[in-house]
Coordinates of all heavy atoms in Angstrom, one line a residue:
M1 N 0.8 -1.2 0.0 CA 0.0 0.0 0.0 C 0.9 1.2 0.0 O 1.7 1.4 0.9 CB -0.9 0.0 1.2 CG -1.9 -1.2 1.3 SD -2.9 -1.0 2.8 CE -3.9 -2.4 2.5
E2 N 0.8 2.0 -1.0 CA 1.6 3.2 -1.1 C 0.8 4.5 -0.7 O 0.5 5.3 -1.4 CB 2.1 3.4 -2.6 CG 2.9 2.3 -3.0 CD 4.3 2.2 -2.3 OE1 4.8 3.2 -1.9 OE2 4.7 1.1 -2.1
H3 N 0.6 4.6 0.6 CA -0.1 5.7 1.2 C 0.9 6.4 2.1 O 1.9 5.9 2.6 CB -1.3 5.3 2.0 CG -2.3 4.6 1.2 ND1 -3.1 5.3 0.3 CD2 -2.7 3.4 1.1 CE1 -4.0 4.5 -0.3 NE2 -3.7 3.3 0.2
S4 N 0.6 7.7 2.4 CA 1.5 8.4 3.3 C 1.5 7.9 4.7 O 2.5 8.1 5.5 CB 1.1 9.9 3.3 OG -0.2 10.0 3.8
Q5 N 0.5 7.1 5.1 CA 0.4 6.6 6.4 C 0.9 5.1 6.5 O 0.6 4.4 7.3 CB -1.0 6.7 7.0 CG -2.0 5.8 6.4 CD -2.7 6.4 5.2 OE1 -2.4 7.5 4.8 NE2 -3.8 5.8 4.8
R6 N 1.8 4.8 5.6 CA 2.3 3.4 5.5 C 2.9 2.9 6.8 O 2.7 1.8 7.2 CB 3.4 3.3 4.4 CG 3.9 1.9 4.2 CD 5.0 1.9 3.2 NE 5.4 0.5 3.0 CZ 5.2 -0.2 1.9 NH1 4.6 0.3 0.9 NH2 5.6 -1.5 1.9
H7 N 3.6 3.8 7.5 CA 4.2 3.4 8.8 C 3.1 3.0 9.8 O 3.3 2.1 10.7 CB 5.0 4.5 9.4 CG 4.4 5.8 9.5 ND1 4.2 6.6 8.3 CD2 3.8 6.4 10.5 CE1 3.5 7.7 8.7 NE2 3.3 7.6 10.0
L8 N 1.9 3.5 9.7 CA 0.8 3.1 10.6 C 0.2 1.8 10.2 O -0.4 1.1 11.0 CB -0.3 4.2 10.6 CG 0.2 5.6 11.2 CD1 -0.9 6.6 11.1 CD2 0.6 5.4 12.6
Y9 N 0.3 1.4 8.9 CA -0.2 0.1 8.5 C 0.6 -1.0 9.3 O 0.0 -2.0 9.7 CB -0.1 -0.2 7.0 CG -1.1 0.6 6.2 CD1 -0.8 1.7 5.5 CD2 -2.4 0.1 6.1 CE1 -1.7 2.4 4.8 CE2 -3.3 0.7 5.3 CZ -3.0 1.9 4.6 OH -3.9 2.6 3.9
E10 N 1.9 -0.8 9.5 CA 2.7 -1.7 10.1 C 2.3 -1.9 11.6 O 2.2 -3.0 12.1 CB 4.2 -1.3 10.1 CG 4.7 -1.4 8.6 CD 6.0 -0.7 8.5 OE1 6.7 -0.4 9.5 OE2 6.5 -0.6 7.3
I11 N 1.8 -0.8 12.2 CA 1.3 -0.8 13.6 C 0.0 -1.6 13.6 O -0.2 -2.4 14.5 CB 1.2 0.6 14.2 CG1 2.6 1.2 14.4 CG2 0.5 0.5 15.5 CD1 2.6 2.6 14.8
V12 N -0.9 -1.3 12.7 CA -2.2 -1.9 12.6 C -2.0 -3.4 12.4 O -2.6 -4.3 13.1 CB -3.1 -1.3 11.5 CG1 -4.3 -2.2 11.3 CG2 -3.5 0.1 11.9
D13 N -1.1 -3.8 11.5 CA -0.8 -5.2 11.3 C -0.3 -5.9 12.6 O -0.7 -7.0 12.9 CB 0.3 -5.4 10.2 CG -0.3 -5.1 8.8 OD1 -1.5 -5.0 8.6 OD2 0.5 -4.8 7.9
A14 N 0.6 -5.2 13.3 CA 1.1 -5.8 14.6 C 0.0 -6.0 15.6 O -0.1 -7.0 16.3 CB 2.2 -4.9 15.2
L15 N -0.9 -5.0 15.7 CA -2.1 -5.1 16.6 C -3.0 -6.2 16.2 O -3.5 -7.0 17.1 CB -2.8 -3.8 16.7 CG -2.1 -2.6 17.3 CD1 -2.8 -1.3 17.0 CD2 -1.8 -2.8 18.8
V16 N -3.2 -6.4 14.9 CA -4.1 -7.5 14.5 C -3.5 -8.8 14.8 O -4.1 -9.8 15.2 CB -4.4 -7.3 13.0 CG1 -5.1 -8.6 12.4 CG2 -5.3 -6.1 12.8
R17 N -2.1 -9.0 14.5 CA -1.4 -10.2 14.8 C -1.5 -10.5 16.3 O -1.5 -11.7 16.7 CB 0.0 -10.2 14.4 CG 0.2 -10.3 12.9 CD 1.7 -10.5 12.6 NE 2.6 -9.5 13.0 CZ 2.9 -8.4 12.4 NH1 2.3 -8.1 11.2 NH2 3.7 -7.5 12.9
A18 N -1.6 -9.5 17.2 CA -1.7 -9.7 18.6 C -3.1 -10.0 19.1 O -3.3 -10.1 20.3 CB -1.1 -8.5 19.3
G19 N -4.1 -10.0 18.2 CA -5.4 -10.4 18.6 C -6.5 -9.3 18.5 O -7.7 -9.5 18.7
N20 N -6.1 -8.1 18.2 CA -7.1 -7.0 18.0 C -7.6 -7.1 16.5 O -7.1 -7.9 15.7 CB -6.4 -5.6 18.2 CG -7.4 -4.6 18.6 OD1 -8.6 -4.7 18.3 ND2 -6.9 -3.6 19.3
G21 N -8.5 -6.3 16.2 CA -9.0 -6.2 14.9 C -9.4 -4.8 14.6 O -9.5 -3.9 15.5
F22 N -9.7 -4.4 13.3 CA -10.1 -3.1 13.0 C -11.5 -3.2 12.4 O -11.9 -4.2 11.8 CB -9.2 -2.3 12.1 CG -8.9 -3.0 10.8 CD1 -9.8 -2.9 9.7 CD2 -7.8 -3.9 10.6 CE1 -9.5 -3.5 8.5 CE2 -7.5 -4.5 9.4 CZ -8.4 -4.3 8.4
R23 N -12.3 -2.2 12.7 CA -13.7 -2.2 12.2 C -13.6 -2.1 10.6 O -13.0 -1.2 10.1 CB -14.5 -1.0 12.7 CG -14.8 -1.1 14.1 CD -15.8 -0.1 14.6 NE -16.1 1.0 13.8 CZ -16.3 2.3 14.2 NH1 -16.3 2.6 15.5 NH2 -16.5 3.2 13.4
P24 N -14.3 -3.0 9.9 CA -14.3 -2.9 8.5 C -15.0 -1.7 8.0 O -15.9 -1.1 8.6 CB -15.0 -4.2 8.1 CG -15.2 -5.0 9.3 CD -15.0 -4.1 10.4
R25 N -14.5 -1.2 6.8 CA -15.2 0.0 6.2 C -16.6 -0.5 5.7 O -16.8 -1.6 5.4 CB -14.3 0.5 5.1 CG -13.0 1.0 5.6 CD -12.1 1.4 4.5 NE -12.6 2.5 3.7 CZ -12.0 3.1 2.7 NH1 -10.8 2.7 2.3 NH2 -12.6 4.1 2.1
P26 N -17.5 0.5 5.5 CA -18.8 0.1 5.0 C -18.6 -0.5 3.6 O -17.7 -0.2 2.9 CB -19.5 1.5 4.9 CG -18.8 2.3 5.9 CD -17.4 1.9 5.9
A27 N -19.6 -1.3 3.2 CA -19.6 -2.0 2.0 C -19.4 -1.0 0.8 O -20.0 0.0 0.8 CB -20.9 -2.8 1.8
G28 N -18.6 -1.4 -0.1 CA -18.4 -0.6 -1.3 C -17.3 0.4 -1.2 O -17.0 1.1 -2.2
L29 N -16.6 0.5 0.0 CA -15.6 1.5 0.2 C -14.2 0.9 0.2 O -13.2 1.6 0.6 CB -15.9 2.3 1.4 CG -17.1 3.2 1.4 CD1 -17.2 3.9 2.8 CD2 -17.1 4.2 0.3
G30 N -14.1 -0.3 -0.2 CA -12.8 -1.0 -0.2 C -12.4 -1.6 1.1 O -13.2 -1.6 2.1
D31 N -11.2 -2.2 1.2 CA -10.8 -2.9 2.4 C -9.6 -2.2 3.2 O -9.1 -2.8 4.1 CB -10.4 -4.3 2.0 CG -9.3 -4.4 1.0 OD1 -8.8 -3.3 0.6 OD2 -8.8 -5.5 0.7
D32 N -9.3 -1.0 2.8 CA -8.3 -0.3 3.6 C -8.8 0.0 5.0 O -9.9 0.4 5.2 CB -8.1 1.1 2.8 CG -6.8 1.8 3.3 OD1 -6.6 1.8 4.6 OD2 -6.1 2.4 2.5
P33 N -7.9 -0.3 6.0 CA -8.4 -0.1 7.4 C -8.5 1.4 7.8 O -9.1 1.7 8.8 CB -7.3 -0.7 8.2 CG -6.1 -0.8 7.3 CD -6.6 -0.9 5.9
F34 N -7.9 2.3 7.0 CA -8.1 3.7 7.3 C -9.2 4.4 6.5 O -9.3 4.2 5.3 CB -6.7 4.4 7.0 CG -5.7 4.2 8.0 CD1 -4.9 3.1 7.9 CD2 -5.5 5.0 9.1 CE1 -3.9 2.8 8.8 CE2 -4.5 4.7 10.0 CZ -3.7 3.6 9.9
W35 N -10.1 5.1 7.2 CA -11.2 5.8 6.6 C -10.8 7.2 6.5 O -10.3 7.8 7.4 CB -12.4 5.7 7.4 CG -12.9 4.3 7.8 CD1 -12.3 3.1 7.5 CD2 -14.1 4.0 8.4 NE1 -13.0 2.1 8.0 CE2 -14.2 2.6 8.6 CE3 -15.1 4.8 9.0 CZ2 -15.2 1.9 9.2 CZ3 -16.2 4.1 9.6 CH2 -16.2 2.7 9.7
L36 N -11.2 7.8 5.4 CA -11.0 9.3 5.3 C -12.1 10.0 6.0 O -13.3 9.8 5.7 CB -11.0 9.7 3.8 CG -10.7 11.2 3.5 CD1 -9.4 11.6 4.1 CD2 -10.8 11.5 2.0
T37 N -11.8 10.8 7.0 CA -12.8 11.5 7.8 C -12.6 13.0 7.4 O -11.8 13.3 6.6 CB -12.6 11.3 9.3 OG1 -11.3 11.9 9.7 CG2 -12.6 9.8 9.7
Q38 N -13.3 13.9 8.1 CA -13.2 15.3 7.8 C -11.8 15.8 8.1 O -11.4 16.7 7.4 CB -14.3 16.1 8.6 CG -15.7 15.9 8.1 CD -16.7 16.7 8.9 OE1 -16.4 17.1 10.0 NE2 -17.8 16.9 8.3
G39 N -11.2 15.3 9.1 CA -9.9 15.9 9.4 C -8.7 15.0 9.1 O -7.6 15.5 9.0
D40 N -8.8 13.7 9.0 CA -7.7 12.9 8.8 C -8.1 11.5 8.3 O -9.3 11.2 8.1 CB -6.9 12.7 10.0 CG -7.7 12.2 11.2 OD1 -8.8 11.7 11.0 OD2 -7.2 12.3 12.4
R41 N -7.2 10.6 8.1 CA -7.5 9.2 7.8 C -7.4 8.5 9.2 O -6.5 8.8 10.0 CB -6.4 8.6 6.9 CG -6.6 9.1 5.5 CD -5.8 8.2 4.5 NE -6.0 8.7 3.2 CZ -7.0 8.3 2.4 NH1 -7.8 7.4 2.9 NH2 -7.2 8.7 1.2
R42 N -8.4 7.7 9.5 CA -8.5 7.1 10.8 C -8.8 5.6 10.7 O -9.6 5.2 9.9 CB -9.7 7.8 11.5 CG -9.8 7.4 13.0 CD -10.7 8.4 13.7 NE -10.2 9.7 13.6 CZ -9.9 10.4 14.7 NH1 -10.0 9.8 15.9 NH2 -9.4 11.6 14.7
C43 N -8.1 4.8 11.5 CA -8.4 3.4 11.6 C -9.0 3.2 13.0 O -8.5 3.5 14.0 CB -7.1 2.6 11.5 SG -7.3 0.8 11.8
Y44 N -10.2 2.6 13.0 CA -10.9 2.3 14.2 C -10.7 0.8 14.7 O -11.1 -0.1 14.0 CB -12.4 2.5 14.0 CG -12.8 3.9 13.7 CD1 -12.9 4.3 12.3 CD2 -13.0 4.9 14.7 CE1 -13.3 5.6 12.0 CE2 -13.3 6.2 14.4 CZ -13.4 6.5 13.0 OH -13.8 7.8 12.7
M45 N -10.0 0.7 15.8 CA -9.7 -0.7 16.3 C -10.9 -1.2 17.1 O -11.7 -0.4 17.7 CB -8.5 -0.7 17.2 CG -7.2 -0.2 16.5 SD -6.8 -1.0 15.0 CE -6.4 -2.7 15.6
E46 N -11.1 -2.5 17.1 CA -12.3 -3.1 17.9 C -12.0 -3.1 19.4 O -13.0 -3.0 20.1 CB -12.6 -4.5 17.3 CG -13.1 -4.4 15.9 CD -13.3 -5.8 15.3 OE1 -12.7 -6.8 15.8 OE2 -14.2 -5.9 14.5
M47 N -10.8 -3.3 19.8 CA -10.4 -3.4 21.2 C -9.5 -2.3 21.5 O -8.9 -1.7 20.6 CB -9.8 -4.8 21.5 CG -10.8 -6.0 21.2 SD -10.1 -7.6 21.7 CE -8.5 -7.6 21.0
P48 N -9.3 -2.0 22.8 CA -8.3 -1.0 23.2 C -6.9 -1.3 22.6 O -6.5 -2.5 22.4 CB -8.3 -1.0 24.7 CG -9.6 -1.5 25.1 CD -10.0 -2.5 24.0
I49 N -6.2 -0.3 22.3 CA -4.9 -0.4 21.7 C -3.9 -1.0 22.7 O -3.8 -0.5 23.8 CB -4.4 1.0 21.1 CG1 -5.3 1.5 20.0 CG2 -2.9 0.9 20.7 CD1 -5.0 2.9 19.6
D50 N -3.1 -2.0 22.3 CA -2.1 -2.5 23.1 C -0.8 -1.7 22.8 O -0.2 -1.9 21.8 CB -1.8 -4.0 22.8 CG -0.8 -4.6 23.7 OD1 0.1 -3.9 24.2 OD2 -0.9 -5.8 23.9
F51 N -0.5 -0.7 23.6 CA 0.6 0.2 23.3 C 1.9 -0.4 23.4 O 2.9 0.1 22.8 CB 0.5 1.5 24.2 CG -0.7 2.4 23.8 CD1 -1.9 2.2 24.4 CD2 -0.5 3.3 22.9 CE1 -3.0 3.0 24.0 CE2 -1.5 4.1 22.5 CZ -2.8 4.0 23.0
A52 N 2.1 -1.5 24.2 CA 3.3 -2.2 24.2 C 3.6 -2.9 22.8 O 4.7 -2.8 22.3 CB 3.3 -3.3 25.3
V53 N 2.6 -3.4 22.2 CA 2.7 -4.0 20.9 C 3.0 -2.9 19.9 O 3.9 -3.0 19.0 CB 1.4 -4.8 20.5 CG1 1.4 -5.2 19.0 CG2 1.3 -6.1 21.4
A54 N 2.2 -1.9 19.9 CA 2.3 -0.8 19.0 C 3.7 -0.1 19.1 O 4.3 0.2 18.0 CB 1.3 0.3 19.2
G55 N 4.2 0.0 20.3 CA 5.5 0.6 20.5 C 6.7 -0.2 20.1 O 7.8 0.2 19.9
S56 N 6.4 -1.5 19.9 CA 7.5 -2.5 19.6 C 7.8 -2.5 18.1 O 8.7 -3.2 17.6 CB 7.2 -3.9 20.1 OG 6.1 -4.4 19.3
V57 N 6.9 -1.9 17.3 CA 7.1 -1.9 15.8 C 8.3 -1.0 15.5 O 8.3 0.2 15.8 CB 5.8 -1.4 15.1 CG1 6.1 -1.3 13.6 CG2 4.7 -2.3 15.4
P58 N 9.3 -1.5 14.8 CA 10.5 -0.7 14.5 C 10.2 0.4 13.4 O 9.3 0.3 12.6 CB 11.5 -1.7 14.0 CG 10.7 -2.8 13.5 CD 9.4 -2.9 14.3
G59 N 11.1 1.4 13.4 CA 11.1 2.4 12.3 C 10.0 3.4 12.4 O 9.6 4.0 11.4
Q60 N 9.5 3.7 13.6 CA 8.5 4.7 13.8 C 9.0 6.1 13.7 O 10.1 6.4 14.2 CB 7.8 4.5 15.1 CG 7.1 3.2 15.2 CD 6.6 2.9 16.6 OE1 6.6 3.7 17.5 NE2 6.1 1.7 16.8
P61 N 8.3 7.0 13.0 CA 8.8 8.4 12.8 C 8.7 9.2 14.1 O 7.9 8.8 15.0 CB 7.9 8.9 11.7 CG 6.6 8.2 11.9 CD 7.0 6.8 12.3
A62 N 9.4 10.3 14.2 CA 9.5 11.1 15.4 C 8.1 11.8 15.6 O 7.8 12.1 16.7 CB 10.5 12.2 15.2
G63 N 7.3 12.0 14.6 CA 6.0 12.6 14.7 C 4.9 11.8 15.3 O 3.7 12.2 15.4
L64 N 5.2 10.5 15.7 CA 4.2 9.6 16.2 C 3.9 9.9 17.7 O 4.9 10.0 18.4 CB 4.6 8.2 15.9 CG 3.6 7.1 15.8 CD1 2.6 7.4 14.7 CD2 4.2 5.8 15.6
A65 N 2.7 10.0 18.0 CA 2.3 10.3 19.4 C 1.4 9.1 19.9 O 0.4 8.8 19.3 CB 1.6 11.6 19.6
F66 N 1.8 8.5 21.1 CA 1.0 7.5 21.7 C 0.3 8.1 22.9 O 0.9 8.6 23.8 CB 1.9 6.4 22.2 CG 2.5 5.5 21.1 CD1 3.6 6.0 20.4 CD2 2.0 4.3 20.8 CE1 4.1 5.3 19.3 CE2 2.6 3.5 19.8 CZ 3.6 4.0 19.1
D67 N -1.0 8.2 22.8 CA -1.9 8.8 23.9 C -2.6 7.6 24.6 O -3.8 7.4 24.2 CB -2.8 9.8 23.3 CG -3.6 10.6 24.3 OD1 -3.5 10.2 25.5 OD2 -4.3 11.5 24.0
E68 N -2.0 7.0 25.5 CA -2.6 5.8 26.2 C -3.8 6.2 27.0 O -4.8 5.4 27.1 CB -1.6 5.1 27.1 CG -0.4 4.5 26.3 CD 0.5 3.7 27.2 OE1 0.0 3.0 28.1 OE2 1.7 3.8 26.9
D69 N -3.9 7.4 27.6 CA -5.0 7.9 28.3 C -6.2 8.0 27.5 O -7.4 8.0 28.0 CB -4.7 9.2 29.1 CG -3.7 9.0 30.2 OD1 -3.6 7.8 30.7 OD2 -3.0 10.0 30.5
N70 N -6.0 8.3 26.2 CA -7.2 8.5 25.3 C -7.3 7.4 24.2 O -8.0 7.6 23.2 CB -7.0 9.9 24.7 CG -8.3 10.4 24.2 OD1 -9.4 9.9 24.5 ND2 -8.3 11.5 23.4
D71 N -6.5 6.3 24.3 CA -6.7 5.2 23.4 C -6.5 5.6 22.0 O -7.3 5.4 21.1 CB -8.0 4.5 23.6 CG -8.0 3.0 23.2 OD1 -6.9 2.5 23.0 OD2 -9.1 2.5 23.0
L72 N -5.4 6.3 21.7 CA -5.2 7.0 20.4 C -3.7 7.0 20.0 O -2.8 7.2 20.9 CB -5.7 8.4 20.5 CG -5.5 9.3 19.2 CD1 -6.5 8.9 18.2 CD2 -5.7 10.8 19.6
I73 N -3.4 6.7 18.8 CA -2.1 6.9 18.2 C -2.3 7.8 17.1 O -3.1 7.6 16.2 CB -1.5 5.6 17.7 CG1 -1.3 4.6 18.8 CG2 -0.1 5.8 17.0 CD1 -0.9 3.2 18.4
S74 N -1.5 8.9 17.1 CA -1.6 9.9 16.0 C -0.3 10.2 15.4 O 0.8 10.1 16.1 CB -2.3 11.2 16.5 OG -1.6 11.8 17.5
C75 N -0.3 10.6 14.2 CA 1.0 11.0 13.5 C 0.9 12.4 13.0 O 0.0 12.8 12.2 CB 1.2 10.0 12.3 SG 2.8 10.4 11.5
G76 N 1.8 13.2 13.5 CA 1.9 14.6 13.1 C 2.5 14.8 11.7 O 2.4 15.9 11.2
L77 N 3.0 13.7 11.1 CA 3.6 13.9 9.7 C 2.5 13.6 8.7 O 2.5 14.3 7.7 CB 4.7 12.9 9.6 CG 5.9 13.0 10.6 CD1 6.9 11.9 10.4 CD2 6.5 14.4 10.4
C78 N 1.6 12.6 8.9 CA 0.7 12.3 7.8 C -0.8 12.6 8.3 O -1.7 12.4 7.5 CB 0.8 10.8 7.4 SG 0.3 9.6 8.7
W79 N -1.0 13.0 9.5 CA -2.3 13.4 10.1 C -3.2 12.2 10.1 O -4.5 12.4 10.1 CB -2.9 14.6 9.3 CG -2.1 15.8 9.5 CD1 -1.1 16.3 8.7 CD2 -2.1 16.7 10.6 NE1 -0.6 17.4 9.2 CE2 -1.2 17.7 10.4 CE3 -2.9 16.7 11.8 CZ2 -1.0 18.7 11.3 CZ3 -2.7 17.8 12.7 CH2 -1.7 18.7 12.4
A80 N -2.7 11.0 10.2 CA -3.6 9.8 10.3 C -3.6 9.4 11.8 O -2.6 9.6 12.5 CB -3.1 8.7 9.4
T81 N -4.6 8.7 12.2 CA -4.7 8.2 13.5 C -5.2 6.7 13.6 O -5.9 6.3 12.7 CB -5.7 9.0 14.4 OG1 -7.0 9.0 13.8 CG2 -5.2 10.5 14.5
I82 N -4.8 6.1 14.7 CA -5.4 4.8 15.0 C -6.1 5.0 16.3 O -5.6 5.5 17.3 CB -4.3 3.7 15.2 CG1 -3.4 3.6 13.9 CG2 -4.9 2.4 15.7 CD1 -2.2 2.7 14.1
T83 N -7.4 4.6 16.3 CA -8.3 4.9 17.4 C -8.8 3.7 18.0 O -9.4 2.8 17.3 CB -9.5 5.8 16.9 OG1 -8.9 7.0 16.3 CG2 -10.3 6.3 18.1
G84 N -8.7 3.6 19.4 CA -9.3 2.4 20.1 C -10.7 2.8 20.5 O -11.1 4.0 20.4
P85 N -11.5 1.9 21.0 CA -12.9 2.1 21.3 C -13.1 3.0 22.6 O -14.1 3.6 22.8 CB -13.5 0.8 21.6 CG -12.3 -0.1 22.0 CD -11.2 0.5 21.2
D86 N -12.0 3.2 23.4 CA -12.1 4.0 24.5 C -11.7 5.5 24.3 O -11.6 6.3 25.2 CB -11.2 3.5 25.7 CG -11.6 2.1 26.1 OD1 -12.9 1.8 26.0 OD2 -10.8 1.3 26.6
H87 N -11.4 5.8 23.0 CA -11.1 7.1 22.6 C -12.2 8.1 22.9 O -13.4 7.8 22.6 CB -10.7 7.2 21.1 CG -10.5 8.6 20.6 ND1 -9.5 9.4 21.0 CD2 -11.2 9.2 19.7 CE1 -9.6 10.6 20.4 NE2 -10.6 10.5 19.5
R88 N -11.9 9.2 23.4 CA -12.9 10.3 23.7 C -12.6 11.5 22.9 O -11.7 12.3 23.2 CB -12.9 10.6 25.2 CG -13.2 9.5 26.1 CD -13.0 9.8 27.6 NE -11.8 10.5 27.9 CZ -10.5 10.0 28.0 NH1 -10.4 8.7 27.7 NH2 -9.5 10.7 28.3
P89 N -13.3 11.7 21.7 CA -13.0 12.8 20.8 C -13.0 14.2 21.5 O -12.3 15.0 21.2 CB -14.0 12.7 19.7 CG -14.8 11.5 19.9 CD -14.4 10.9 21.3
E90 N -13.9 14.3 22.5 CA -14.0 15.6 23.1 C -12.8 16.0 23.9 O -12.6 17.2 24.2 CB -15.2 15.7 24.0 CG -15.1 14.8 25.3 CD -15.5 13.4 25.1 OE1 -15.8 13.0 24.0 OE2 -15.4 12.6 26.1
T91 N -11.9 15.1 24.1 CA -10.7 15.5 24.9 C -9.5 15.9 24.0 O -8.5 16.3 24.4 CB -10.2 14.3 25.7 OG1 -9.8 13.2 24.8 CG2 -11.2 13.8 26.7
V92 N -9.7 15.9 22.6 CA -8.6 16.2 21.7 C -8.9 17.5 21.0 O -8.6 18.6 21.5 CB -8.4 15.0 20.7 CG1 -7.3 15.3 19.8 CG2 -8.2 13.7 21.4
W93 N -9.5 17.5 19.9 CA -9.6 18.7 19.1 C -10.7 19.6 19.4 O -10.6 20.8 19.3 CB -9.7 18.3 17.6 CG -8.7 17.3 17.2 CD1 -8.9 16.0 16.7 CD2 -7.3 17.4 17.2 NE1 -7.7 15.4 16.5 CE2 -6.7 16.2 16.7 CE3 -6.4 18.5 17.5 CZ2 -5.4 16.0 16.6 CZ3 -5.0 18.3 17.4 CH2 -4.5 17.1 16.9
N94 N -11.9 19.0 19.7 CA -13.1 19.8 19.9 C -13.5 19.9 21.4 O -14.6 20.0 21.7 CB -14.2 19.3 19.1 CG -14.5 17.8 19.4 OD1 -13.8 17.2 20.2 ND2 -15.6 17.3 18.9
A95 N -12.5 19.9 22.3 CA -12.8 20.0 23.7 C -13.4 21.4 24.0 O -13.1 22.4 23.4 CB -11.5 19.9 24.5
A96 N -14.3 21.3 24.9 CA -15.0 22.6 25.3 C -13.9 23.5 25.9 O -13.0 23.1 26.7 CB -16.0 22.3 26.4
R97 N -13.9 24.8 25.5 CA -13.0 25.7 25.9 C -13.6 26.7 26.9 O -14.7 27.2 26.6 CB -12.4 26.5 24.7 CG -11.5 25.5 23.9 CD -11.1 26.2 22.6 NE -10.2 25.4 21.8 CZ -10.4 24.3 21.2 NH1 -11.6 23.7 21.3 NH2 -9.5 23.6 20.5
S98 N -12.9 27.0 28.0 CA -13.5 27.9 28.9 C -13.0 29.3 28.5 O -12.0 29.5 28.0 CB -13.0 27.6 30.3 OG -11.6 27.7 30.4
T99 N -13.9 30.2 28.8 CA -13.5 31.6 28.5 C -13.2 32.3 29.8 O -13.8 32.1 30.9 CB -14.7 32.4 27.8 OG1 -15.9 32.2 28.7 CG2 -15.0 31.8 26.5
P100 N -12.2 33.2 29.8 CA -11.8 33.9 31.0 C -12.8 34.8 31.5 O -13.7 35.3 31.0 CB -10.5 34.6 30.6 CG -10.4 34.5 29.2 CD -11.4 33.6 28.7

């Protein structure tokens, strides 16, 4: 697969080999584990991310962020993410902002 998020495919493959799975895309949209959303490409895992497995994949770029508290792996280089079922979107980009 020649996509900009190729390094994330290796992490998804390692998670799947370890027993996790990713939610399939809706029928007719292909079999790529990453879905194009409004902000990025996103892979939705069925079980929480095993960060020990994900972190053991060699050759990860410096822009990769592991957010264990939010069940999320994101890449600042390709703007793609791997999301576990415990991910809370309101804690990331669209969090409520308090006004002074």
Side-chain angles (χ1 to χ4, degrees):
M1 298 179 176
E2 296 297 327
H3 297 288
S4 62
Q5 71 270 9
R6 181 181 184 113
H7 52 283
L8 294 178
Y9 285 102
E10 295 170 5
I11 294 173
V12 170
D13 288 345
L15 292 170
V16 169
R17 282 192 305 273
N20 205 336
F22 56 86
R23 286 191 349 216
R25 294 172 69 175
L29 295 181
D31 58 357
D32 191 317
F34 286 86
W35 304 6
L36 183 58
T37 65
Q38 288 181 342
D40 58 13
R41 292 193 174 272
R42 190 168 294 245
C43 176
Y44 297 95
M45 301 305 293
E46 292 178 335
M47 297 184 314
I49 296 169
D50 184 333
F51 287 92
V53 169
S56 70
V57 176
Q60 298 173 7
L64 206 58
F66 290 76
D67 185 352
E68 294 186 41
D69 291 336
N70 203 13
D71 205 16
L72 176 76
I73 299 173
S74 60
C75 181
L77 301 175
C78 69
W79 294 96
T81 60
I82 300 170
T83 305
D86 295 334
H87 171 65
R88 300 171 316 281
E90 68 278 1
T91 64
V92 183
W93 312 115
N94 58 352
R97 290 170 175 71
S98 61
T99 55

